[in-house]
């Protein structure tokens, strides 16, 4: 591959730190250096591997080839981003010569009418959280999860990635998920556990529905609805620095379009998760330009908001907590959430990324630990929402995923399990939707050998 811009500095590409380190350590600073090395003495990749100090055997040649592929992918991302930016600038320059016109307006009645059109949210399998949010995580919005380590932020994100595949006839959106992993915290084994629980629940829910209908067939489960296909619908992007994060987010529209117009029943990408948005932005050096950092964050926030609206999907971003020195004696976060304030040190715990970011998301959920008497119970507090009142829901993290605190599963026969599933499903409220679109709400898993009152491993 010949690079169209051979003078691009390697440091300006979204490469992994380890890759950039080995390149710069051996004198590779621009793309032309890499291209020249591959052509040197007609040795190709073998010559490049030798100049990197890897050796010329087949194993090291494969490592060098992997580095070349990473460089080519990074160049493609940057080139695509520059083309989009150039097109945008051309349009802006053309319009700058015209009289400025206001953006297209809509009446309040039109906006209200569009809001009344039901858009099925993504359920979390925890009825208390879904009720707090009005049925689940809303599409066309950016929802922020913030909390201390170990409260279940990543677990909730993985749960949503699995639940997005729930068939429509069972109250789901039948879509796919994009997971941008900045911390390396995505655990496929946990996703498999949750997918297995979801498939079991839907299967038993269909059977119990058939039993209650006096022999009539229950809701038909799609053929492709199984654990393997659920995991195939979760697309994970691992990013290692701020540049990679920005480039990956900017490339999402193209990837989302490529997943549309499928031949099967999948509706395309309906969920984008960034876990976490704060990780690389908090890894700052002594010469950090805080103004540029804030501008970059605001651009990402605006881009994600536009992404959610354009493609009618839910965006969930994870934020971290930070300690803020507060000598005024006030132990309240600006968003109204009460936190422990240490009077001796004059500090308090508050969401990271500052006030500008706090205003950028549509909804903010604060996840927190329970009290010492019942440490397994955790709390989800809605502290910011334009259409729902503040409130708190309780949840637990089980082997199956996120569940309500009253969730108890018994080791019993299949008949007893189906009876228990029927009782749970009969108590579930219908999703908030027009009467002609009402379907049974499929939340709270059933049938397992797990008892919430017994000792169990903690998932974070």
């Amino acid at each position: 591959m010949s690079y169209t811009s051979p003078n691009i500095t390697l440091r300006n590409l979204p490469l992994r730190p380890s890759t950039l380190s080995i390149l710069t350590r051996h004198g590779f600073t621009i793309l032309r250096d890499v291209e020249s090395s591959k052509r040197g003495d007609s040795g190709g990749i073998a010559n490049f591997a030798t100049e990197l100090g890897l050796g010329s055997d087949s194993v090291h040649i494969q490592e060098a080839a992997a580095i070349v592929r990473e460089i080519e992918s990074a160049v493609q991302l940057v080139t695509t981003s520059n083309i989009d930016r150039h097109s945008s600038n051309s349009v802006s320059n053309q319009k700058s010569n015209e009289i400025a016109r206001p953006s297209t307006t809509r009446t309040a009645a039109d906006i209200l009418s569009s809001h009344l059109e039901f858009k099925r949210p993504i359920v979390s399998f925890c009825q208390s959280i879904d009720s707090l949010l009005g049925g689940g995580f809303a599409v066309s919005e950016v929802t922020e999860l913030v909390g201390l380590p170990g409260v279940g932020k990543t677990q909730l994100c993985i749960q949503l990635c699995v639940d997005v595949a729930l068939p429509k006839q069972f109250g789901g959106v039948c879509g796919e998920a994009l997971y941008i992993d900045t911390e390396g915290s995505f655990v496929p084994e946990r996703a498999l556990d949750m997918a297995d629980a979801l498939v079991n629940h839907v299967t038993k829910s269909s059977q119990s529905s058939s039993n209650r209908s006096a022999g009539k067939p229950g809701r038909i489960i799609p053929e492709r609805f199984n654990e393997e296909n659920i995991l195939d619908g979760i697309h994970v992007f691992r990013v290692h620095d701020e540049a990679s994060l920005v480039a990956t987010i900017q490339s999402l529209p193209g990837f989302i379009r490529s997943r549309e117009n499928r031949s099967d029943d999948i509706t395309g990408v309906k969920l984008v998760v960034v876990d976490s948005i704060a990780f690389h932005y908090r890894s700052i050096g002594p010469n950090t330009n805080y103004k540029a950092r804030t501008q970059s964050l605001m651009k990402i926030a605006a881009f994600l908001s536009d992404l959610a609206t354009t493609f009618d999907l839910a965006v969930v971003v994870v934020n971290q907590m930070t300690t803020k020195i507060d000598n005024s004696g006030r132990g309240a976060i600006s968003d109204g959430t009460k936190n422990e304030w240490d009077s001796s040190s004059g500090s308090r715990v508050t969401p990271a990324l500052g006030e500008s970011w706090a205003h950028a998301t549509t909804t903010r959920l604060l996840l927190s630990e329970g009290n010492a008497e019942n440490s397994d119970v955790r709390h989800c507090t809605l502290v910011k929402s334009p259409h729902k009142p503040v409130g708190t829901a309780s949840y637990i993290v089980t082997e199956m995923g996120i569940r309500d605190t009253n969730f108890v599963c018994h080791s019993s026969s299949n008949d007893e399990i189906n009876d228990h599933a029927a009782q749970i499903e009969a108590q579930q409220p219908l999703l908030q939707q027009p009467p002609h679109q009402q379907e049974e709400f499929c939340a709270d898993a059933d049938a397992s050998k797990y008892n919430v009152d017994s000792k169990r491993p903690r998932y974070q």
Side-chain angles (χ1 to χ4, degrees):
M1 174 181 179
S2 296
Y3 302 114
T4 55
S5 303
N7 293 321
I8 292 179
T9 304
L10 294 177
R11 290 187 179 276
N12 292 333
L13 295 176
L15 299 172
R16 292 181 301 167
S18 58
T19 301
L20 185 60
S21 175
I22 192 173
L23 288 170
T24 55
R25 195 166 60 246
H26 290 87
F28 294 89
T29 57
I30 61 175
L31 284 177
R32 190 187 301 277
D33 297 336
V34 178
E35 186 68 20
S36 299
S37 177
K38 290 192 297 179
R39 293 177 179 174
D41 300 329
S42 301
I45 296 295
N47 185 70
F48 180 55
T50 302
E51 293 191 8
L52 283 178
L54 297 176
S56 57
D57 56 276
S58 60
V59 174
H60 291 113
I61 290 177
Q62 291 178 2
E63 292 181 12
I67 292 177
V68 171
R69 288 194 297 270
E70 182 181 347
I71 293 173
E72 292 175 351
S73 299
V75 171
Q76 186 176 4
L77 280 174
V78 172
T79 302
T80 303
S81 176
N82 288 339
I83 290 175
D84 293 341
R85 191 180 301 111
H86 176 72
S87 300
S88 177
N89 290 338
S90 298
V91 173
S92 299
N93 292 334
Q94 181 180 355
K95 290 187 175 182
S96 64
N97 298 325
E98 303 175 0
I99 299 176
R101 295 185 178 90
S103 59
T104 304
T105 60
R106 298 175 62 192
T107 66
D110 291 337
I111 298 174
L112 177 62
S113 177
S114 64
H115 284 184
L116 290 177
E117 295 178 5
F118 176 71
K119 296 180 180 179
R120 179 173 285 131
I122 300 174
V123 297
S124 67
F125 256 56
C126 177
Q127 184 183 349
S128 58
I129 293 180
D130 293 334
S131 298
L132 183 68
L133 296 174
F137 285 72
V139 298
S140 302
E141 293 184 5
V142 178
T143 301
E144 178 190 16
L145 301 179
V146 61
L148 293 171
V151 296
K153 301 186 296 295
T154 296
Q155 297 295 314
L156 181 53
C157 289
I158 297 176
Q159 180 73 69
L160 292 173
C161 288
V162 170
D163 294 347
V164 76
L166 188 66
K168 291 183 178 180
Q169 55 267 43
F170 292 89
V173 297
C174 195
E176 296 182 334
L178 300 181
Y179 197 105
I180 301 178
D181 185 8
T182 67
E183 303 180 10
S185 55
F186 180 84
V187 183
E189 292 80 6
R190 289 293 293 140
L192 179 60
D193 290 341
M194 297 177 187
D196 183 63
L198 176 62
V199 172
N200 288 337
H201 172 62
V202 169
T203 302
K204 294 176 176 63
S205 177
S206 177
Q207 294 171 353
S208 63
S209 175
S210 176
N211 293 337
R212 293 199 305 271
S213 301
K216 295 181 181 179
R219 290 167 290 183
I220 300 176
I221 302 175
E223 251 182 64
R224 70 177 311 280
F225 184 70
N226 54 54
E227 295 87 342
E228 182 179 356
N229 286 327
I230 290 176
L231 295 189
D232 280 341
I234 303 175
H235 308 277
V236 182
F237 295 81
R238 180 72 172 96
V239 298
H240 298 271
D241 52 32
E242 179 188 343
S244 298
L245 175 62
V246 174
T248 300
I249 290 177
Q250 289 178 343
S251 70
L252 291 184
F255 184 86
I256 293 172
R257 290 190 184 96
S258 71
R259 305 300 298 176
E260 293 178 342
N261 301 322
R262 303 275 299 279
S263 58
D264 49 28
D265 295 331
I266 301 299
T267 57
V269 176
K270 301 302 292 182
L271 172 67
V272 173
V273 173
V274 184
D275 183 15
S276 69
I277 191 71
F279 185 70
H280 294 309
Y281 282 95
R282 296 186 69 191
S283 303
I284 57 178
N287 299 321
T288 298
N289 186 333
Y290 289 95
K291 182 178 180 181
R293 189 197 76 158
T294 301
Q295 290 176 343
S296 177
L297 271 172
M298 292 303 99
K299 288 180 180 178
I300 287 180
F303 191 92
L304 291 175
S305 178
D306 183 61
L307 191 76
T309 304
T310 302
F311 294 98
D312 203 22
L313 51 81
V315 175
V316 176
V317 294
V318 175
N319 193 5
Q320 300 173 348
M321 301 290 280
T322 187
T323 301
K324 185 175 182 179
I325 304 301
D326 184 4
N327 294 320
S328 64
R330 295 171 298 179
I333 297 178
S334 58
D335 60 16
T337 306
K338 302 296 181 181
N339 279 273
E340 293 296 331
W341 178 68
D342 188 348
S343 58
S344 61
S345 61
S347 63
R348 58 190 171 97
V349 178
T350 184
L353 302 182
E355 293 292 330
S356 297
W357 173 260
H359 294 286
T361 57
T362 310
T363 302
R364 169 174 279 185
L365 295 174
L366 176 68
L367 307 185
S368 57
E369 292 273 5
N371 53 42
E373 297 178 357
N374 198 350
S375 59
D376 286 339
V377 176
R378 306 170 192 190
H379 305 293
C380 173
T381 303
L382 178 62
V383 295
K384 175 194 173 187
S385 174
H387 44 70
K388 291 296 174 185
V390 297
T392 300
S394 298
Y395 65 98
I396 56 175
V397 183
T398 74
E399 186 178 10
M400 297 179 183
I402 304 297
R403 296 293 184 267
D404 282 290
T405 54
N406 60 356
F407 171 72
V408 179
C409 287
H410 307 280
S411 176
S412 54
S413 66
N414 288 334
D415 291 338
E416 291 173 337
I417 285 172
N418 290 333
D419 291 341
H420 179 62
Q423 292 173 6
I424 290 179
E425 191 172 356
Q427 296 171 356
Q428 300 300 330
L430 296 179
L431 284 173
Q432 296 181 358
Q433 50 183 307
H436 66 280
Q437 292 182 336
Q438 286 184 356
E439 296 176 357
E440 294 183 47
F441 179 42
C442 184
D444 270 344
D446 49 52
S448 146
K449 299 178 181 179
Y450 222 66
N451 189 331
V452 72
D453 295 325
S454 63
K455 292 184 178 180
R456 63 174 184 275
R458 288 176 58 85
Y459 298 93
Q460 300 180 352

